[in-house]
Amino acid sequence: MATRFPVWGKVPEFTTFASLLRMTTKYGFSDVREQLLESIKSAYPTRLECCRAAKVLGEDVFGTPKPHPNAVLNLFTEQDIKFALPFAAYRAGMAGFSSLTSDEPGTVLPRLALASTMHGMETIRGGMAKLAYRVLCNMRLEDCRDGACVVNKGISFPDKRMEMLDQIYDVMVKEGKGDVLYSDLSLVNIVCVRCAKTPEQVYHLLRTTIWEELPRIFGVGKSWEEV
């Protein structure tokens, strides 16, 4: 009976999933364990293109009630689900500092996991901030042919120019960046298409680099091949 449960392709809610996973480890039900892990692979991808294509990511795959991302990270660490650890740590970090440091039962992260996750998010945020700074500096120096664009040197109001540059920084670092890997960067409503193209390309390259380094960033392996 164990091999027929859960239903193929259906992800149980988290408490059931966790209980089943622990049971498969304890009693050696390898076929059920593989079935459980297969059901969540698309939500905890190991390739960026799969992350971008997925309709459901992270703890959302477990439905309602949605588990706390820390609880998922704790389970995957306990059960040594290596392929899912980088993205699980990323999701826990993206939930924010107050969530990451939750003291609710089942959500308290061990000190090492907490430290590595916080360090990972600081690394990602720092990279985004540096990129935004470089983009803004380059835009200050460029001479755009579009007279209405913020990077045009002909704009005679410095305060207006700085206001628009601040908007660019907010878009790159704050707004819409609840998920750095999943969201796109769009500056076309702030600057002209020509001036938006380069920073958008650079952002894509940075996102690719972050993904490739995700295991190392969160201290769960030197590369994806190791997890």
Side-chain angles (χ1 to χ4, degrees), residues 90 94 118-130 180-181 206 210 214 217-218:
Y90 171 78
M94 290 304 296
M118 291 178 65
H119 173 75
M121 292 315 303
E122 284 299 310
T123 299
I124 292 174
R125 292 300 188 189
M128 294 301 303
K130 289 179 181 178
V180 175
L181 299 173
L206 177 64
I210 288 173
L214 210 62
I217 287 173
F218 287 105

Side-chain angles (χ1 to χ4, degrees), residues 45-46 83 86-87 211-215 222-227:
T46 57
F83 79 86
F87 196 71
W211 180 267
E212 291 173 350
E213 294 290 317
L214 210 62
K222 294 181 179 179
S223 67
W224 283 105
E225 286 71 21
E226 287 195 1
V227 299

Side-chain angles (χ1 to χ4, degrees), residues 8-27:
W8 181 260
K10 182 176 176 60
V11 182
E13 58 89 23
F14 182 69
T15 55
T16 301
F17 179 91
S19 295
L20 285 170
L21 190 61
R22 292 184 176 109
M23 187 181 299
T24 63
T25 300
K26 183 176 181 179
Y27 295 107

Side-chain angles (χ1 to χ4, degrees), residues 51 61 71 121 126 143 156 158 160 174 181 186 198:
C51 175
V61 75
M121 292 315 303
D143 186 7
S156 56
K160 177 64 176 176
K174 300 176 184 177
L181 299 173
S186 178
T198 298

